[in-house]
Amino acid sequence: GAGVSQSPSNKVTEKGKDVELRCDPISGHTALYWYRQSLGQGLEFLIYFQGNSAPDKSGLPSDRFSAERTGGSVSTLTIQRTQQEDSAVYLCASSSVHEQYFGPGTRLTVT
Amino acid sequence: GNSVTQMEGPVTLSEEAFLTINCTYTATGYPSLFWYVQYPGEGLQLLLKATKADDKGSNKGFEATYRKETTSFHLEKGSVQVSDSAVYFCALSKPYNFNKFYFGSGTKLNVKP
């Protein structure tokens, strides 16, 4: 069974551009999470999807950030009008009961 | 609210030294507790977990015991190796907020030969 995959692995973009980051969770996992990890920092929770429930968006830092999950599987995190402070590693995780599995992350660099 | 507090790093030890990384939590009810490890250049992976009070999670020589009376889940290893150098994250999940996870800020461990 494949693990959580994310694409792209690296993304360099110019300030002001929009970016889309993709996450493919483990098949059958109903919960999906996005986190941000800045250099040398801990995990910053962004958004959480659980089944068909409304997502928990409480961690999104601004309205430039949004995420969707189509068909209860693949998720896309979109950052509009990127800023340099958005540079970080964006981690996706999916979970079964009582355990999260992380993807390798997307390293975003805004120049 | 729910939160996890870890000791600040970095922690620097010599090979074969004893390791303790402290973790305490705040939660109502009976959370599950986890330690995740992030090796340099890699993603997070589960190291060990405990789902109820007095449970001991163990893996790769690491251990942590779920102590409800002290709301703690300290990570220990009797003899660290250079290959244990990584960042360690303590986390909890709330059983009635299914799968909502809360992470500590991480503790970097450097083991010197």
Side-chain angles (χ1 to χ4, degrees):
Chain A
V4 178
S5 60
Q6 293 186 244
S7 60
S9 55
N10 281 285
K11 177 71 176 177
V12 180
T13 190
E14 293 180 352
K15 177 182 174 181
K17 301 282 191 183
D18 298 352
V19 295
E20 285 189 352
L21 312 179
R22 177 187 168 105
C23 172
D24 282 273
I26 293 173
S27 177
H29 283 187
T30 59
L32 185 147
Y33 312 74
W34 284 98
Y35 298 90
R36 180 168 69 176
Q37 186 176 29
S38 300
L39 185 63
Q41 302 299 310
L43 293 176
E44 177 186 3
F45 166 76
L46 297 177
I47 188 168
Y48 160 54
F49 297 88
Q50 173 59 59
N52 296 321
S53 302
D56 178 348
K57 303 180 182 179
S58 60
L60 294 179
S62 77
D63 59 7
R64 296 187 296 106
F65 288 73
S66 63
E68 62 178 21
R69 188 178 185 191
T70 54
S73 182
V74 172
S75 177
T76 303
L77 176 69
T78 301
I79 308 173
Q80 296 179 308
R81 306 181 301 282
T82 52
Q83 304 295 312
Q84 288 186 330
E85 61 263 29
D86 299 335
S87 296
V89 176
Y90 289 82
L91 293 169
C92 175
S94 68
S95 72
S96 63
V97 177
H98 291 308
E99 191 167 326
Q100 278 196 334
Y101 297 83
F102 282 82
T106 294
R107 182 175 297 280
L108 174 66
T109 303
V110 182
T111 60
Chain B
N2 307 303
S3 65
V4 175
T5 303
Q6 293 181 231
M7 63 187 291
E8 290 192 18
V11 174
T12 302
L13 296 172
S14 297
E15 207 165 22
E16 299 183 0
F18 184 86
L19 168 71
T20 301
I21 300 178
N22 289 339
C23 171
T24 57
Y25 68 90
T26 301
T28 56
Y30 298 89
S32 296
L33 302 173
F34 307 82
W35 278 99
Y36 282 81
V37 59
Q38 186 177 32
Y39 297 104
E42 299 184 12
L44 275 79
Q45 53 188 276
L46 179 68
L47 179 61
L48 54 84
K49 67 180 180 182
T51 57
K52 62 182 187 296
D54 299 325
D55 269 3
K56 177 184 284 187
S58 61
N59 186 24
K60 300 182 181 179
F62 290 89
E63 293 182 340
T65 301
Y66 188 143
R67 301 285 188 201
K68 188 161 179 64
E69 64 275 16
T70 54
T71 61
S72 65
F73 194 55
H74 305 320
L75 183 68
E76 296 182 337
K77 186 173 184 181
S79 176
V80 293
Q81 305 300 311
V82 172
S83 57
D84 294 327
S85 297
V87 181
Y88 293 82
F89 293 90
C90 186
L92 72 81
S93 74
K94 292 295 297 295
Y96 58 81
N97 189 348
F98 185 63
N99 279 330
K100 182 73 180 288
F101 281 72
Y102 302 83
F103 281 83
S105 57
T107 302
K108 185 172 184 179
L109 171 65
N110 295 316
V111 180
K112 297 185 179 301

mmCIF file of all heavy atoms in Angstrom, chain A residues 38-60:
data_model
loop_
_atom_site.group_PDB
_atom_site.id
_atom_site.type_symbol
_atom_site.label_atom_id
_atom_site.label_comp_id
_atom_site.label_asym_id
_atom_site.label_seq_id
_atom_site.Cartn_x
_atom_site.Cartn_y
_atom_site.Cartn_z
ATOM 1 N N SER A 38 7.835 25.864 9.199
ATOM 2 C CA SER A 38 8.847 26.821 8.783
ATOM 3 C C SER A 38 10.206 26.344 9.257
ATOM 4 O O SER A 38 10.308 25.520 10.170
ATOM 5 C CB SER A 38 8.530 28.211 9.348
ATOM 6 O OG SER A 38 7.270 28.645 8.875
ATOM 7 N N LEU A 39 11.278 26.882 8.691
ATOM 8 C CA LEU A 39 12.629 26.405 8.956
ATOM 9 C C LEU A 39 12.918 26.378 10.449
ATOM 10 O O LEU A 39 12.811 27.399 11.131
ATOM 11 C CB LEU A 39 13.648 27.307 8.239
ATOM 12 C CG LEU A 39 15.100 26.842 8.334
ATOM 13 C CD1 LEU A 39 15.263 25.487 7.662
ATOM 14 C CD2 LEU A 39 16.021 27.877 7.688
ATOM 15 N N GLY A 40 13.247 25.189 10.959
ATOM 16 C CA GLY A 40 13.607 25.039 12.364
ATOM 17 C C GLY A 40 12.460 25.172 13.344
ATOM 18 O O GLY A 40 12.681 25.232 14.546
ATOM 19 N N GLN A 41 11.240 25.224 12.831
ATOM 20 C CA GLN A 41 10.081 25.410 13.694
ATOM 21 C C GLN A 41 9.261 24.132 13.803
ATOM 22 O O GLN A 41 9.494 23.151 13.109
ATOM 23 C CB GLN A 41 9.187 26.535 13.142
ATOM 24 C CG GLN A 41 9.888 27.856 12.998
ATOM 25 C CD GLN A 41 10.385 28.380 14.314
ATOM 26 O OE1 GLN A 41 9.656 28.442 15.309
ATOM 27 N NE2 GLN A 41 11.652 28.760 14.367
ATOM 28 N N GLY A 42 8.275 24.177 14.707
ATOM 29 C CA GLY A 42 7.379 23.051 14.865
ATOM 30 C C GLY A 42 6.304 23.044 13.803
ATOM 31 O O GLY A 42 6.381 23.747 12.789
ATOM 32 N N LEU A 43 5.300 22.234 14.037
ATOM 33 C CA LEU A 43 4.205 22.095 13.092
ATOM 34 C C LEU A 43 3.116 23.120 13.398
ATOM 35 O O LEU A 43 2.662 23.226 14.528
ATOM 36 C CB LEU A 43 3.602 20.705 13.191
ATOM 37 C CG LEU A 43 4.470 19.552 12.740
ATOM 38 C CD1 LEU A 43 3.760 18.242 12.989
ATOM 39 C CD2 LEU A 43 4.815 19.687 11.281
ATOM 40 N N GLU A 44 2.698 23.827 12.364
ATOM 41 C CA GLU A 44 1.601 24.769 12.487
ATOM 42 C C GLU A 44 0.387 24.167 11.790
ATOM 43 O O GLU A 44 0.407 23.955 10.573
ATOM 44 C CB GLU A 44 1.984 26.092 11.835
ATOM 45 C CG GLU A 44 0.890 27.141 11.844
ATOM 46 C CD GLU A 44 1.271 28.387 11.069
ATOM 47 O OE1 GLU A 44 2.371 28.425 10.471
ATOM 48 O OE2 GLU A 44 0.461 29.333 11.033
ATOM 49 N N PHE A 45 -0.653 23.886 12.543
ATOM 50 C CA PHE A 45 -1.868 23.312 11.974
ATOM 51 C C PHE A 45 -2.532 24.317 11.044
ATOM 52 O O PHE A 45 -2.668 25.499 11.374
ATOM 53 C CB PHE A 45 -2.819 22.918 13.096
ATOM 54 C CG PHE A 45 -4.225 22.628 12.646
ATOM 55 C CD1 PHE A 45 -4.545 21.445 12.012
ATOM 56 C CD2 PHE A 45 -5.232 23.559 12.846
ATOM 57 C CE1 PHE A 45 -5.835 21.171 11.598
ATOM 58 C CE2 PHE A 45 -6.530 23.307 12.437
ATOM 59 C CZ PHE A 45 -6.826 22.105 11.817
ATOM 60 N N LEU A 46 -2.983 23.868 9.871
ATOM 61 C CA LEU A 46 -3.659 24.740 8.925
ATOM 62 C C LEU A 46 -5.131 24.390 8.793
ATOM 63 O O LEU A 46 -5.999 25.229 9.037
ATOM 64 C CB LEU A 46 -2.984 24.671 7.552
ATOM 65 C CG LEU A 46 -1.531 25.143 7.481
ATOM 66 C CD1 LEU A 46 -0.982 24.950 6.071
ATOM 67 C CD2 LEU A 46 -1.421 26.605 7.897
ATOM 68 N N ILE A 47 -5.438 23.162 8.397
ATOM 69 C CA ILE A 47 -6.810 22.787 8.118
ATOM 70 C C ILE A 47 -6.948 21.269 8.266
ATOM 71 O O ILE A 47 -5.981 20.532 8.083
ATOM 72 C CB ILE A 47 -7.240 23.260 6.714
ATOM 73 C CG1 ILE A 47 -8.737 23.043 6.462
ATOM 74 C CG2 ILE A 47 -6.416 22.565 5.632
ATOM 75 C CD1 ILE A 47 -9.252 23.759 5.203
ATOM 76 N N TYR A 48 -8.155 20.839 8.562
ATOM 77 C CA TYR A 48 -8.445 19.443 8.859
ATOM 78 C C TYR A 48 -9.779 19.070 8.205
ATOM 79 O O TYR A 48 -10.783 19.762 8.399
ATOM 80 C CB TYR A 48 -8.488 19.284 10.371
ATOM 81 C CG TYR A 48 -9.200 18.108 10.960
ATOM 82 C CD1 TYR A 48 -8.892 16.812 10.575
ATOM 83 C CD2 TYR A 48 -10.160 18.287 11.956
ATOM 84 C CE1 TYR A 48 -9.537 15.736 11.160
ATOM 85 C CE2 TYR A 48 -10.798 17.219 12.535
ATOM 86 C CZ TYR A 48 -10.485 15.941 12.138
ATOM 87 O OH TYR A 48 -11.118 14.875 12.717
ATOM 88 N N PHE A 49 -9.773 17.994 7.436
ATOM 89 C CA PHE A 49 -10.975 17.445 6.836
ATOM 90 C C PHE A 49 -11.297 16.118 7.514
ATOM 91 O O PHE A 49 -10.421 15.275 7.691
ATOM 92 C CB PHE A 49 -10.764 17.171 5.332
ATOM 93 C CG PHE A 49 -10.488 18.382 4.510
ATOM 94 C CD1 PHE A 49 -9.190 18.845 4.336
ATOM 95 C CD2 PHE A 49 -11.526 19.062 3.883
ATOM 96 C CE1 PHE A 49 -8.925 19.957 3.560
ATOM 97 C CE2 PHE A 49 -11.276 20.180 3.099
ATOM 98 C CZ PHE A 49 -9.972 20.628 2.944
ATOM 99 N N GLN A 50 -12.556 15.914 7.841
ATOM 100 C CA GLN A 50 -12.995 14.640 8.410
ATOM 101 C C GLN A 50 -14.259 14.206 7.672
ATOM 102 O O GLN A 50 -15.326 14.778 7.875
ATOM 103 C CB GLN A 50 -13.257 14.770 9.901
ATOM 104 C CG GLN A 50 -13.874 13.524 10.534
ATOM 105 C CD GLN A 50 -13.003 12.284 10.373
ATOM 106 O OE1 GLN A 50 -11.857 12.258 10.820
ATOM 107 N NE2 GLN A 50 -13.550 11.261 9.743
ATOM 108 N N GLY A 51 -14.126 13.197 6.841
ATOM 109 C CA GLY A 51 -15.260 12.659 6.120
ATOM 110 C C GLY A 51 -15.986 13.739 5.345
ATOM 111 O O GLY A 51 -15.396 14.561 4.648
ATOM 112 N N ASN A 52 -17.310 13.764 5.492
ATOM 113 C CA ASN A 52 -18.137 14.739 4.791
ATOM 114 C C ASN A 52 -18.454 15.966 5.636
ATOM 115 O O ASN A 52 -19.236 16.827 5.210
ATOM 116 C CB ASN A 52 -19.451 14.078 4.349
ATOM 117 C CG ASN A 52 -19.218 12.979 3.339
ATOM 118 O OD1 ASN A 52 -18.368 13.119 2.461
ATOM 119 N ND2 ASN A 52 -19.951 11.889 3.455
ATOM 120 N N SER A 53 -17.861 16.036 6.818
ATOM 121 C CA SER A 53 -18.117 17.177 7.693
ATOM 122 C C SER A 53 -17.449 18.431 7.152
ATOM 123 O O SER A 53 -16.509 18.360 6.365
ATOM 124 C CB SER A 53 -17.586 16.887 9.099
ATOM 125 O OG SER A 53 -18.175 15.724 9.636
ATOM 126 N N ALA A 54 -17.948 19.577 7.613
ATOM 127 C CA ALA A 54 -17.318 20.840 7.245
ATOM 128 C C ALA A 54 -15.890 20.848 7.777
ATOM 129 O O ALA A 54 -15.632 20.439 8.909
ATOM 130 C CB ALA A 54 -18.106 22.005 7.827
ATOM 131 N N PRO A 55 -14.927 21.294 6.977
ATOM 132 C CA PRO A 55 -13.530 21.281 7.440
ATOM 133 C C PRO A 55 -13.284 22.253 8.579
ATOM 134 O O PRO A 55 -13.955 23.274 8.701
ATOM 135 C CB PRO A 55 -12.748 21.686 6.181
ATOM 136 C CG PRO A 55 -13.720 22.422 5.333
ATOM 137 C CD PRO A 55 -15.061 21.805 5.600
ATOM 138 N N ASP A 56 -12.320 21.915 9.402
ATOM 139 C CA ASP A 56 -11.855 22.805 10.474
ATOM 140 C C ASP A 56 -10.771 23.701 9.878
ATOM 141 O O ASP A 56 -9.638 23.258 9.682
ATOM 142 C CB ASP A 56 -11.305 21.960 11.627
ATOM 143 C CG ASP A 56 -10.757 22.802 12.773
ATOM 144 O OD1 ASP A 56 -10.576 24.034 12.597
ATOM 145 O OD2 ASP A 56 -10.478 22.233 13.833
ATOM 146 N N LYS A 57 -11.123 24.951 9.628
ATOM 147 C CA LYS A 57 -10.216 25.898 8.967
ATOM 148 C C LYS A 57 -9.531 26.824 9.956
ATOM 149 O O LYS A 57 -8.943 27.839 9.548
ATOM 150 C CB LYS A 57 -10.989 26.752 7.961
ATOM 151 C CG LYS A 57 -11.741 25.988 6.902
ATOM 152 C CD LYS A 57 -12.463 26.940 5.979
ATOM 153 C CE LYS A 57 -13.263 26.208 4.922
ATOM 154 N NZ LYS A 57 -13.980 27.135 4.028
ATOM 155 N N SER A 58 -9.611 26.495 11.215
ATOM 156 C CA SER A 58 -9.191 27.442 12.249
ATOM 157 C C SER A 58 -7.714 27.805 12.191
ATOM 158 O O SER A 58 -7.302 28.821 12.756
ATOM 159 C CB SER A 58 -9.536 26.887 13.635
ATOM 160 O OG SER A 58 -8.868 25.641 13.844
ATOM 161 N N GLY A 59 -6.891 27.005 11.516
ATOM 162 C CA GLY A 59 -5.472 27.276 11.462
ATOM 163 C C GLY A 59 -5.004 28.064 10.254
ATOM 164 O O GLY A 59 -3.831 28.450 10.184
ATOM 165 N N LEU A 60 -5.877 28.317 9.311
ATOM 166 C CA LEU A 60 -5.459 29.042 8.104
ATOM 167 C C LEU A 60 -5.034 30.458 8.492
ATOM 168 O O LEU A 60 -5.799 31.186 9.121
ATOM 169 C CB LEU A 60 -6.582 29.078 7.085
ATOM 170 C CG LEU A 60 -6.984 27.725 6.494
ATOM 171 C CD1 LEU A 60 -8.136 27.888 5.512
ATOM 172 C CD2 LEU A 60 -5.795 27.055 5.807
#
